[in-house]
Amino acid sequence: MLAGLVFFLNACSNDDNQTVETLETPVANAPKDVNDHGFKAKWNYVSHSKSYLLDVSTAENFTSFVPNYNAKEITDLNDAVTGLTGGTQYYYRVRAKNETQISDYSNVIAVVTTGTSNIPEDPTFLKVKVNKLANPFFVGMAIKASQLTNGSPYDVILKNEFSSISAEYEMKMDQISTASGVYNWAAADKIVAYGNANNINVHGHALVWHNAVPQWLKDFSGTDAEFAAEVKKYITDVVTHYAGKVKSWDVVNEAVDDSGAMRNTIFLQRMGPNYVKDCFQWAREAANAAGDTSLLLFYNDYATSANTAKQDKVFSLLDDLKAAKAIDGVGFQMHNTYLSPTKAQIEADLNKAVAKGLKIHVSELDIQVNQFNDISAFTNERRLAQKAKYKEMVQIYNALPAANKYALTIWGMRDNESWIPFSTELNHPGNDWPLLYDSNFAVKSSHTGFLEGLD
Ligand code: 9MR
């Protein structure tokens, strides 16, 4: 009986030795001791493994390796990776090894070293690189009339880097229209003249927007038909004033709300659901009457990529406008964050416009890095994440068919002047760094990301 039991136990252990176990895939963990020149990579123990093979790369898909970190063999559950560059994005992964057996790759851990890389940002001018493409597009910047003084840093950067401008607010109805038929053209004229004099495209933003209704029109006591006549008169006068000088207009801005319904604006209330089409037709008639038969008319809206209800409604509006031959293009504002929308969401959104044969304007691009107000200074992680997101947006835009490209416009020059930091409208209580230049007009990594997106 005892002998039998011993035999049984022996048989079991012999059996164990002969079985070829597949090595489990190790789990890589967050690094420790991140500093300017390295970090400690960590991972979990895998049964039966005798060592681990560590890869470290600056490329997320490991197309290249940090020297000596291409399957570096390690018998411990961590390794101090050294000799790295500061302020740089690295990735690591491990495999478990037992003699000739090697497991699958672990998950990939991303880590950014502290400090600065001291590698200067690419100084190439945006429009210079874009204009060398087989199918270039306008590189746009939102500006204010006060920035356009000859020799100002804005002026120098605009002339070097940008081929299009949009007025950040001075070509809106509440700025131009002071009373029925009374116009203040000063700032808008300055902006348009600047573009025309410097061979910079001028995009008109925006004829009709619920957030820029002048007080006199809000208070207008006439009938609905008289209200519509005021809107028609405004559109006609402004389009006529800038005929031949402004290449394109956002005719209606943000007519759809975030639930996917028509936004309940004064225009919808006073003019009914056909108001969008009416505005486009009035703009077209005015341009044609003024001899400008090539004016491009855009519908412009925000946050359609990640909100399918809104996206569907915008595209049904675009269908109506297209059927009426009233529209040329669509503006996707793209007030994005370093996390959202995803590449796939943006591509799907833009490709719907391609399928409809519309020109595409990425019209107000900025990329927030502090939407949760969880950082008090711009970190390397966010800087590099933002760079990657700018690069991604430019890659997506540049990959569009030539016929659908128009302009990719950045919504402001310096971080500290962006509308985003401390915006109550946006419910953004903290600071942010959403643009291509810092407060000293120095190019950021986001600017290098833009350039890399063109490769
Ligand atoms: O960034 C613009 C800000 O400077 C203006 O005060 C504001 C009101 O005119 O408009 C901001 O730009 C908006 C754009 O015209 C339409 N999409 C949303 C933008 C941010 O609010």
Side-chain angles (χ1 to χ4, degrees), residues 4 11 13 38 115-116 146 175 193 225 240 259 272 310 323 348 362 376 395 408:
S13 76
T116 54
S146 60
Q175 301 298 306
T240 305
S259 78
K310 183 168 184 176
V362 168
S376 54
Q395 276 172 334
L408 193 165

Short mmCIF file of all heavy atoms in Angstrom, two decimals, residues 4 11 13 38 115-116 146 175 193 225 240 259 272 310 323 348 362 376 395 408:
data_model
loop_
_atom_site.label_atom_id
_atom_site.label_comp_id
_atom_site.label_asym_id
_atom_site.label_seq_id
_atom_site.Cartn_x
_atom_site.Cartn_y
_atom_site.Cartn_z
N GLY A 4 2.85 1.42 -3.05
CA GLY A 4 1.94 1.88 -4.12
C GLY A 4 1.81 3.39 -4.11
O GLY A 4 1.88 4.04 -5.16
N ALA A 11 5.29 8.86 -9.93
CA ALA A 11 4.74 8.92 -11.29
C ALA A 11 4.27 10.34 -11.59
O ALA A 11 4.53 10.89 -12.66
CB ALA A 11 3.60 7.93 -11.43
N SER A 13 5.30 13.20 -10.22
CA SER A 13 6.36 14.19 -10.38
C SER A 13 7.12 13.95 -11.68
O SER A 13 7.51 14.88 -12.35
CB SER A 13 7.29 14.20 -9.17
OG SER A 13 8.13 13.10 -9.21
N GLY A 38 16.72 57.89 -17.26
CA GLY A 38 16.29 56.50 -17.25
C GLY A 38 15.13 56.25 -16.31
O GLY A 38 14.48 57.18 -15.83
N GLY A 115 12.92 66.02 -17.07
CA GLY A 115 13.92 66.94 -17.63
C GLY A 115 13.58 67.33 -19.06
O GLY A 115 12.46 67.15 -19.51
N THR A 116 14.57 67.88 -19.75
CA THR A 116 14.34 68.30 -21.13
C THR A 116 15.31 67.57 -22.04
O THR A 116 16.41 67.21 -21.64
CB THR A 116 14.54 69.82 -21.31
OG1 THR A 116 15.83 70.15 -20.81
CG2 THR A 116 13.49 70.61 -20.58
N SER A 146 -5.94 93.61 -33.88
CA SER A 146 -4.89 94.28 -33.10
C SER A 146 -3.53 93.59 -33.22
O SER A 146 -2.50 94.16 -32.85
CB SER A 146 -5.29 94.32 -31.63
OG SER A 146 -5.46 92.99 -31.15
N GLN A 175 -20.29 92.12 -33.92
CA GLN A 175 -19.18 93.07 -34.05
C GLN A 175 -19.41 94.03 -35.21
O GLN A 175 -19.07 95.20 -35.14
CB GLN A 175 -17.85 92.32 -34.27
CG GLN A 175 -17.51 91.36 -33.16
CD GLN A 175 -17.32 92.07 -31.83
OE1 GLN A 175 -16.52 93.00 -31.72
NE2 GLN A 175 -18.06 91.63 -30.83
N ALA A 193 -8.01 93.23 -45.43
CA ALA A 193 -6.96 93.93 -46.19
C ALA A 193 -5.59 93.31 -45.91
O ALA A 193 -4.75 93.18 -46.82
CB ALA A 193 -6.94 95.42 -45.80
N ALA A 225 -41.36 87.77 -40.33
CA ALA A 225 -40.95 88.04 -41.72
C ALA A 225 -39.98 89.23 -41.76
O ALA A 225 -39.00 89.22 -42.51
CB ALA A 225 -42.18 88.33 -42.58
N THR A 240 -21.59 91.14 -49.93
CA THR A 240 -21.33 92.11 -51.00
C THR A 240 -20.10 92.95 -50.68
O THR A 240 -19.22 93.16 -51.53
CB THR A 240 -22.56 93.03 -51.19
OG1 THR A 240 -23.71 92.22 -51.41
CG2 THR A 240 -22.36 93.98 -52.37
N SER A 259 -27.71 67.28 -28.50
CA SER A 259 -28.60 66.11 -28.49
C SER A 259 -28.93 65.65 -29.90
O SER A 259 -29.58 64.61 -30.08
CB SER A 259 -29.89 66.44 -27.74
OG SER A 259 -30.74 67.21 -28.58
N GLY A 272 -37.95 79.60 -38.54
CA GLY A 272 -38.34 78.22 -38.83
C GLY A 272 -37.18 77.37 -39.30
O GLY A 272 -36.08 77.88 -39.54
N LYS A 310 -25.38 63.96 -32.92
CA LYS A 310 -25.13 65.28 -33.50
C LYS A 310 -24.59 65.15 -34.92
O LYS A 310 -25.00 65.88 -35.83
CB LYS A 310 -24.14 66.03 -32.60
CG LYS A 310 -23.87 67.45 -33.06
CD LYS A 310 -23.13 68.24 -32.00
CE LYS A 310 -22.96 69.68 -32.44
NZ LYS A 310 -22.33 70.51 -31.42
N ALA A 323 -28.53 69.12 -51.64
CA ALA A 323 -29.62 68.90 -52.60
C ALA A 323 -30.07 70.24 -53.20
O ALA A 323 -30.45 70.30 -54.37
CB ALA A 323 -30.78 68.20 -51.91
N ALA A 348 -13.81 58.74 -39.51
CA ALA A 348 -15.16 58.38 -39.94
C ALA A 348 -15.98 59.64 -40.21
O ALA A 348 -16.72 59.72 -41.20
CB ALA A 348 -15.83 57.52 -38.87
N VAL A 362 -10.87 71.94 -41.43
CA VAL A 362 -10.67 71.77 -39.98
C VAL A 362 -10.50 73.19 -39.49
O VAL A 362 -9.47 73.83 -39.71
CB VAL A 362 -9.47 70.86 -39.66
CG1 VAL A 362 -9.11 70.94 -38.19
CG2 VAL A 362 -9.81 69.42 -40.05
N SER A 376 -0.97 71.39 -12.90
CA SER A 376 -0.84 72.84 -12.68
C SER A 376 0.28 73.42 -13.53
O SER A 376 0.44 74.63 -13.61
CB SER A 376 -0.59 73.13 -11.21
OG SER A 376 0.52 72.39 -10.77
N GLN A 395 -2.05 64.22 -40.12
CA GLN A 395 -1.99 63.02 -40.99
C GLN A 395 -3.36 62.71 -41.57
O GLN A 395 -3.48 62.43 -42.76
CB GLN A 395 -1.51 61.81 -40.17
CG GLN A 395 -0.02 61.72 -40.06
CD GLN A 395 0.44 60.64 -39.10
OE1 GLN A 395 -0.28 60.26 -38.17
NE2 GLN A 395 1.65 60.15 -39.32
N LEU A 408 -6.68 73.85 -42.93
CA LEU A 408 -6.61 73.36 -41.55
C LEU A 408 -6.19 74.58 -40.72
O LEU A 408 -5.08 75.08 -40.87
CB LEU A 408 -5.59 72.23 -41.46
CG LEU A 408 -5.57 71.38 -40.20
CD1 LEU A 408 -4.77 70.11 -40.43
CD2 LEU A 408 -5.01 72.12 -39.01
#
